[in-house]
Structures are given as structure tokens and as C-alpha cells.
Amino acid sequence: MGLNKKSVNDINVKGKRVLVRCDFNVPLKDGKITDETRIKAALPTIQKLMNDGGKVILCSHLGKVKNGPNEGESLAPVAERLAEKLGKPVNFVSDYKVTGEAATAAVAAMNEGDVVLLQNTRFRGKEETKNGEEFSKELADLCDVYVCDAFGSSHRAHASVAGVTDVVRAKGGECAVGYLMQKEIDFLGNAVENPVRPFVAILGGAKVADKLNVIANLLEKCDTLIIGGGMAYTFLKAKGYEIGTSLVDEEKIDYCKEMMEKAEKLGKKLLLPVDTTVASAFPNPIDAEIEVTVVDSSAIPADKMGLDIGTKTAEMYADAVKSAKTVVWNGPMGVFENPILAKGTIAVAKSLAETDATTIIGGGDSAAAVNQLGFADKMSHISTGGGASLEFLEGKELPGVAAADDK
């Protein structure tokens, strides 16, 4: 995986039109932004390009846009918030065609340091289809230089992420990554490719099926692999344990056996829960009061369901993290949205907060858990991409990273 990419520090943008693919896929409620983390994360790259005299053209998708362009998924609220944060006007091109005449005119009128935001890229339809080629060309026509700063979309070979780079390069332009992308490459990419050891990987979440390739890849790279969350019960069943009504991936039992054998063969530690927090049923609603007991993992009652790791397991996992130099964590240890079933996830988060290791949270639910539980500022890096960080951990090449120029 080529990780030595040109960044915004390596390019001269003075007087040039710079197209920046951001991740402004923010949550909206009644037209108002409810979490502006992604907008804040984009600011350093935008400010750097403005200060260097670039004409900064921003683009992003928002939502899934299933029923065609609509005001509910317009980037207008993002433009407004962005202008506040940057302390200067952001010219929002509301045209649903995204790269039509309105966009061309707005870009032509730009001065150095100006900012234009294009409409939601998904309004142009499927970016990864034939339509994407035309869209790639139109995006490239608007700029001289391209910067990708949308790690959360970098695993998709879409027009605004990868397609545009071929056209920009063909006309002599440069393609670089922004500060956010650079940080993801430095932390996530290098943690997997070149970790400081001992390297501990922690995987949780519901299904083994979602993490098949991640488990296999991390076993090759890490020294200790810790398994928690719903996926642990398939491993426990593979060991021949009774798991009651716990979540199980019946088709992946043999795979779990193979992984346990692989760990043994490679001399790696694979840690599974030794005790489990069980209840009669899944909480409904998810944060409802629930009666739980902690039992040995080998003695889960037939009518009970495992919903979190137990206290001994939490101690064992915390202990495994103490001597680590690099820790990557993806997926909670239990139903962390419920205060009673969040104890295992809290214990793991706390152990990461207290270690001197480089601690990397691989997006998705584990990022949500760390933020929600108040440990975010204690982590070295929290990834902004769920699917993208998983594919990075699988060892896959991400189109958005591969598309940037090498240094």
C-alpha cells in the first residue's frame, strides 16, 4: 500500500483554482446541523489553501439521495455554518446540476482566498457509473489542482473522489491529500503497515461476517488480538461452549475455528471473553432498565443472551493493553448505548485512555462510543471513516488514497 502521498504542504496553489473533496455528510434535523464535527475537521485544510492564495472550491455528498435532488439534502446549511467558522462569505452554488453554468460563473468570478461550495455531489446521480466519467470531467474543468480530504468516502471509486484525479493529472494538474486524509494515513495506515510493537488490536461489534478480512489481516500484523462484542459468541460457540440465545453467525463457526488455529500457528495471542454479562432479552428500547448477571463464558444459561463482556474479561483486556505501544480498536464490547451494558466498552476505553501507547479508534460505533463516554480527548486518533477505516484495517488499497500523487 503506497502511503507516501503529496499533501497540501507540498503544492503551490497561489492564484490556482483548487477543488477540495470534503466530508460534509453531517447529520441534519429540520434543516439544522446537529453535529458539526466534520465541518470543524475540514477547516485546517481549507484555511491553509485560502491563506496560500488558492481559489478554494469545495464539494461533498450529503445523505443517500435516494429520490433525486431535494432541499432536505442540500448543502445550504453547511455553507452557512462554514462561513461562520471561516469568518468570511462562502459562495454556495445551489444548482442541482452541481457543475452547471452557475458553478462555472461562480468559479470564474473568484479572487485569491475566496471560497465556493458546490451543491451535493449525489444530486448528479450515481457517481460510480458511466455518468461518473462526464461528472469527473466537469469537476476537473472547474479546477487546476485537486485535494482529497474526505477519508470517510475514500473507499469508494466515485467521480469526486478518484475519477476527477485522472482528468486533472491529464491536463498537468496535481492531486494531493488534505490534513485530515494525511492524519488517517499516518495513524491508521502506518499502524497496520508499520506498527510500534507490542501491537494490540481490539475488535468488537455485532457480526463476524462484517470483520472477516479484518480479523485475518490483523492476525498477521498484531501481537495480540482481542475479541469482544456480539461477534465473540460465534468464537465461543466454535470452542464448543453453550451460548444460550446470544447472537451467533452459524455460517462462520468454522471460520472462527480456523482463526483460532491460525493465531496458535503464528504464535499470536487471541483473547476471548472469560465471563459475560447476560440478560433474558435484548433491551427494548435500547436504553431501557435491564436486569443482568455475570456468568462464566463457558456457562451461559440456555435461556440467556450475552450482551457485554464481564468484569474479569474487562480486567484481562485492560491488562493486555497496559504494555502495548500501538492499539487499534474497532467495535464496542457490548450494547454500549445502554448504561448497564456499557461497562465493558467503558473499561476498554478507560484502559486506552490510561496507556502511553498510540491509540487509534477505527471509526463507526467505537468512535461514537469513545465520544459518547467522554474519552475522545485521551485518544491519539479517532478515525472519521467507518467503512473506510475497516477497509484500511483489512489491508485494502483505498481508491481515494491511491488516486493522490506520490511524493
Side-chain angles (χ1 to χ4, degrees):
M1 204 190 294
L3 298 177
N4 197 18
K5 296 295 178 182
K6 236 180 224 183
S7 89
V8 285
N9 289 339
D10 305 311
I11 56 175
N12 174 15
V13 298
K14 186 157 176 62
K16 291 179 182 171
R17 302 169 303 161
V18 190
L19 179 69
V20 188
R21 175 55 159 98
C22 299
D23 183 1
F24 291 145
N25 188 20
V26 294
L28 292 172
K29 192 174 183 191
D30 304 324
K32 297 269 180 275
I33 297 164
T34 57
D35 181 350
E36 55 186 44
T37 308
R38 287 176 166 165
I39 295 174
K40 282 187 195 154
L43 295 175
T45 294
I46 297 167
Q47 283 160 332
K48 158 81 173 158
L49 296 167
M50 284 165 59
N51 295 341
D52 287 357
K55 299 172 181 180
V56 186
I57 308 145
L58 309 173
C59 70
S60 172
H61 78 282
L62 173 66
K64 299 226 185 309
V65 190
K66 286 184 174 149
N67 304 312
N70 66 89
E71 277 309 293
E73 290 171 305
S74 164
L75 282 171
V78 172
E80 205 178 301
R81 190 64 61 90
L82 204 50
E84 286 169 21
K85 300 257 176 232
L86 292 170
K88 70 169 289 169
V90 170
N91 183 2
F92 177 55
V93 182
S94 59
D95 178 15
Y96 286 179
K97 193 170 184 284
V98 188
T99 46
E101 285 171 25
T104 308
V107 170
M110 291 178 87
N111 295 313
E112 291 183 9
D114 282 354
V115 181
V116 162
L117 173 63
L118 303 179
Q119 186 53 282
N120 188 343
T121 56
R122 296 249 167 109
F123 283 4
R124 273 297 292 268
K126 291 196 159 77
E127 278 198 69
E128 70 278 17
T129 57
K130 193 78 177 151
N131 168 45
E133 286 176 33
E134 192 186 326
F135 190 28
S136 297
K137 187 182 177 309
E138 289 171 22
L139 285 167
D141 284 346
L142 292 174
C143 71
D144 309 301
V145 175
Y146 172 79
V147 172
C148 187
D149 210 22
F151 181 72
S153 299
S154 65
H155 59 314
R156 307 193 188 282
H158 287 179
S160 62
V161 173
V164 60
T165 61
D166 294 331
V167 197
V168 169
R169 222 176 269 112
K171 62 178 191 174
E174 293 178 284
C175 299
V177 296
Y179 289 133
L180 197 58
M181 281 281 280
Q182 187 61 56
K183 198 172 177 224
E184 298 279 7
I185 292 168
D186 288 347
F187 278 98
L188 260 183
N190 290 321
V192 178
E193 293 304 311
N194 191 22
V196 180
R197 298 189 180 279
F199 173 25
V200 175
I202 306 168
L203 290 181
K207 295 191 184 93
V208 175
D210 297 343
K211 310 253 166 97
L212 290 179
N213 300 331
V214 182
I215 296 167
N217 188 47
L218 286 178
L219 263 184
E220 305 267 340
K221 316 268 177 161
C222 69
D223 302 296
T224 300
L225 178 61
I226 291 173
I227 303 279
M231 65 152 88
Y233 301 105
T234 307
F235 276 91
L236 294 174
K237 188 156 186 184
K239 284 187 81 161
Y241 292 175
E242 163 66 61
I243 58 161
T245 59
S246 307
L247 189 69
V248 65
D249 225 329
E250 293 286 355
E251 289 170 19
K252 300 292 176 278
I253 290 171
D254 285 344
Y255 173 85
C256 291
K257 285 180 186 165
E258 277 168 39
M259 289 303 112
M260 291 189 281
E261 283 162 20
K262 180 175 178 168
E264 207 169 315
K265 216 174 278 178
L266 293 171
K268 307 292 174 84
K269 274 189 197 160
L270 194 154
L271 302 181
L272 295 169
V274 291
D275 61 348
T276 296
T277 301
V278 298
S280 300
F282 198 86
N284 182 19
I286 201 158
D287 58 354
E289 278 270 330
I290 187 168
E291 207 174 294
V292 298
T293 46
V294 178
V295 299
D296 280 354
S297 294
S298 56
I300 297 173
D303 61 345
K304 298 282 188 210
M305 173 184 278
L307 295 169
D308 190 16
I309 57 173
T311 38
K312 284 185 209 153
T313 305
E315 277 169 32
M316 176 174 84
Y317 289 1
D319 209 43
V321 166
K322 273 183 193 147
S323 57
K325 288 280 181 278
T326 306
V327 185
V328 171
W329 178 19
N330 183 287
M333 298 291 102
V335 186
F336 75 95
E337 301 90 341
N338 185 302
I340 297 158
L341 301 169
K343 289 177 182 162
T345 303
I346 291 171
V348 168
K350 196 164 175 291
S351 68
L352 264 66
E354 288 167 358
T355 178
D356 296 331
T358 299
T359 49
I360 300 152
I361 313 301
D365 276 348
S366 29
V370 165
N371 282 317
Q372 203 175 305
L373 302 169
F375 291 102
D377 59 338
K378 301 280 196 297
M379 304 301 158
S380 310
H381 179 60
I382 299 175
S383 179
T384 52
S389 50
L390 263 187
E391 292 198 15
F392 231 158
L393 296 178
E394 281 178 33
K396 277 188 184 171
E397 184 172 76
L398 306 187
V401 177
D405 296 345
D406 292 325
K407 269 190 192 173

